[in-house]
Amino acid sequence: MRLVPIAAIALLAACTPVSDDAPVDRAAPAIAMDCFRETGASMLAAHRGGPSEGYPENALASLRRLSTLGVLYAEIDVRRSADGVFYLLHDDSLDRTTSGTGPIDGLTWDDLSGLRLDDNDGYPTSSQIPTLIDALDLARSTDLILNLDLKSVTAEEIVAFIHQQDARDLVAVIAYTVEDAAAIHALDPGLLLSVPNDRQALRRAGVNLEASYIWMGTGPLDPRADTTLGNLGLETSVGLFRRENGSSDPYLEARDANIELIAVDDVETASRALGGGAVLREQIDACTP
């Protein structure tokens, strides 16, 4: 297992801001998003890596099974240990999802690496907390896109890490605010970002909308708003977490609204609703040659 301390990453020239006149080299996921919009395809994003019975959230085992279900995006939560190792964990304490207890503040990778992960029902599994490098290695072998939800990592740190790992074509980054999006795109305007729905503020801040998709939230769908954005050449994403009920209806509604990226908890039902792994894989392959 290769570990990359933050101190080493901070020395890389990858953190140098891009000049306004530099040509933008869009990462592969940004280019593929255009294709999904143009072909009317809806992709799935597995929330917290797609946990299920026996499969913990943010675990390599959970990520590994996604490609068989035709899931392209895996949303994962990225934290930094006290000694500078990027790892995957959602909570700021160990109690809910691991064999440990207590807050994570101040813990080194040695403290974390031996812990086992529990599934969402609280049952222990053989999975351990993975590093982000572990997840990137898996993404390379399975064609997953890792959607990075930054919990304790700065824009400078994550962009430098992505460059150092040659991982621009393997990731998207979630930016919750216009300021977050601008900070990341100041360093690499070609990285694909999830951004808030405020086009004018994003443009004023220098965010590259050609390497962004608009997060529409977790509330009721607004097909008219999505159509407006689509006519402007912009892609959208929604979270169906609050509406998933075991039926196909929420996923079909999102697909019919031409949402390009549908974030879900129930990856099995979502995959079946959209035609199954083979159909989704065919749509992925058509846009990711």
Side-chain angles (χ1 to χ4, degrees):
M1 181 184 297
R2 293 171 290 131
L3 307 181
V4 180
I6 294 299
I9 294 173
L11 298 176
L12 296 173
C15 283
T16 304
V18 179
S19 71
D20 291 338
D21 298 327
V24 174
D25 175 22
R26 288 197 301 162
I31 297 170
M33 267 297 177
D34 287 350
C35 179
F36 297 138
R37 171 174 48 80
E38 292 161 359
T39 59
S42 293
M43 295 292 102
L44 293 175
H47 187 220
R48 300 186 191 176
S52 186
E53 183 179 351
Y55 291 93
E57 61 184 53
N58 286 302
L60 294 182
S62 302
L63 299 181
R64 193 172 291 114
R65 77 189 185 103
L66 294 179
S67 62
T68 65
L69 296 168
V71 177
L72 179 59
Y73 276 73
E75 183 263 321
I76 56 175
D77 302 289
V78 182
R79 293 187 177 274
R80 184 189 62 204
S81 67
D83 54 341
V85 175
F86 291 119
Y87 67 96
L88 276 52
L89 197 73
H90 179 271
D91 297 359
D92 56 11
S93 70
L94 298 170
D95 301 71
R96 182 178 67 87
T97 61
T98 81
S99 57
T101 58
I104 60 174
D105 286 347
L107 296 183
T108 67
W109 179 241
D110 280 346
D111 298 324
L112 296 160
S113 59
L115 298 175
R116 300 288 178 175
L117 294 172
D118 297 339
D119 70 13
N120 280 2
D121 293 320
Y123 293 108
T125 72
S126 60
S127 293
Q128 295 175 286
I129 298 174
T131 68
L132 182 52
I133 288 181
D134 293 333
L136 287 173
D137 287 344
L138 189 148
R140 285 190 175 92
S141 66
T142 58
D143 296 326
L144 275 177
I145 304 299
L146 302 179
N147 212 2
L148 308 182
D149 191 343
L150 307 180
K151 298 302 185 185
S152 61
V153 182
T154 68
E156 292 79 7
E157 290 165 351
I158 199 60
V159 172
F161 179 87
I162 290 167
H163 289 179
Q164 194 242 4
Q165 296 297 316
D166 192 22
R168 295 177 80 245
D169 293 337
L170 300 173
V171 301
V173 183
I174 297 172
Y176 285 102
T177 67
V178 171
E179 293 75 19
D180 290 342
I184 295 169
H185 269 178
L187 300 168
D188 186 341
L191 279 177
L192 180 61
L193 302 184
S194 167
V195 298
N197 186 15
D198 192 340
R199 298 192 313 280
Q200 278 125 14
L202 290 164
R203 286 198 178 95
R204 285 195 301 268
V207 175
N208 179 17
L209 292 180
E210 292 186 356
S212 304
Y213 62 87
I214 307 295
W215 172 246
M216 304 294 282
T218 60
L221 301 185
D222 187 347
R224 186 174 300 177
D226 184 81
T227 298
T228 298
L229 292 168
N231 289 338
L232 295 171
L234 299 173
E235 295 80 41
T236 57
S237 178
V238 297
L240 298 183
F241 325 125
R242 298 177 182 175
R243 303 176 57 220
E244 292 179 279
N245 57 13
S247 79
S248 298
D249 294 345
Y251 317 109
L252 296 176
E253 183 183 355
R255 184 192 64 186
D256 292 344
N258 296 314
I259 305 293
E260 284 75 26
L261 190 60
I262 306 171
V264 302
D265 282 328
D266 186 351
V267 292
E268 292 91 347
T269 302
S271 174
R272 286 194 300 271
L274 298 187
V279 170
L280 289 167
R281 187 73 250 173
E282 184 178 347
Q283 294 172 345
I284 293 167
D285 290 342
C287 288
T288 56

